[in-house]
């Protein structure tokens, strides 16, 4: 089941559905195989951006416009049979940001996306903290143990 706010619709809804995984609006320029609707590099890179299931995700936008991705790589089919790109679900954004699956966000979908878009991915925070603690001598790099002074 899907929520209506997952559907990428409106003026560029069909174009978004035609963008292949890992591509963005540039698909719809004269240099690629889509409809020739946009000038080369005339938009921000996240416009109509689709994730690629085999590559790392791009940044989750805190305040995306209606056609700003990243969007899921799979389309959804509407009741009339047309396909549309879909926005990421809250659980998918949590997973991309390496939050635990049971982590709860309070508020609307827009509130959750703003919180996640402004957050540092949990695992990235851990890696940076660990590297800093190693450099300061609080963690032994080889043993990964905390050294107390």
């Amino acid at each position: 089941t899907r929520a209506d706010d997952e559907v990428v619709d409106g003026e560029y809804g069909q174009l978004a559905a035609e963008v292949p995984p890992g591509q963005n609006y540039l698909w719809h320029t004269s240099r690629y195989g889509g409809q020739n609707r946009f000038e080369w590099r005339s938009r921000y890179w996240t416009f109509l951006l689709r994730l690629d299931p085999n590559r790392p995700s791009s940044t989750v936008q805190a305040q995306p416009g209606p056609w700003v991705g990243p969007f899921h790589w799979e389309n959804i089919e509407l009741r009339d049979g047309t396909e549309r790109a879909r926005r990421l679900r809250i659980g998918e954004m949590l997973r991309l940001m390496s939050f635990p699956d049971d982590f709860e966000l309070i508020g609307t979908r827009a509130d959750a996306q703003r919180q996640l878009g402004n957050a540092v991915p949990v695992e990235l925070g851990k890696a940076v903290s660990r590297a800093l603690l190693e450099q300061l001598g609080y963690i032994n790099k080889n043993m990964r143990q905390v050294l107390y002074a």
Side-chain angles (χ1 to χ4, degrees):
T1 181
R2 66 168 170 79
D4 287 337
D5 61 0
E6 289 181 4
V7 177
V8 180
D9 216 351
E11 182 178 1
Y12 300 112
Q14 182 61 42
L15 291 175
E18 295 172 9
V19 173
Q23 299 289 327
N24 63 9
Y25 79 97
L26 293 173
W27 179 254
H28 293 296
T29 64
S30 61
R31 297 188 187 195
Y32 284 98
Q35 298 180 38
N36 187 8
R37 291 282 304 272
F38 303 105
E39 294 297 318
W40 183 254
R41 296 198 175 158
S42 62
R43 303 276 179 145
Y44 195 66
W45 69 277
T46 54
F47 187 71
L48 306 183
L49 176 66
R50 303 289 296 266
L51 291 176
D52 182 331
N54 299 310
R55 301 194 63 187
S57 172
S58 61
T59 302
V60 172
Q61 301 291 305
Q63 295 182 317
W67 304 290
V68 173
F71 302 126
H72 199 276
W73 57 86
E74 291 181 345
N75 285 330
I76 54 176
E77 188 173 321
L78 303 180
R79 287 186 183 97
D80 66 3
T82 60
E83 289 193 350
R84 290 291 183 261
R86 78 164 173 85
R87 290 176 176 79
L88 297 174
R89 296 179 178 128
I90 302 301
E92 292 166 338
M93 288 188 280
L94 283 168
R95 183 67 61 93
L96 288 175
M97 298 296 288
S98 62
F99 280 84
D101 288 340
D102 61 352
F103 191 85
E104 291 185 36
L105 294 167
I106 297 172
T108 65
R109 184 189 189 297
D111 293 334
Q113 181 149 355
R114 185 175 56 256
Q115 292 172 58
L116 291 169
N118 286 325
V120 173
V122 174
E123 292 302 316
L124 175 61
K126 287 180 184 179
V128 170
S129 298
R130 187 176 302 114
L132 181 61
L133 289 170
E134 286 174 0
Q135 290 296 314
L136 293 174
Y138 291 106
I139 296 177
N140 182 318
K141 186 175 183 175
N142 296 325
M143 299 183 69
R144 297 268 186 212
Q145 293 177 334
V146 176
L147 303 175
Y148 295 96

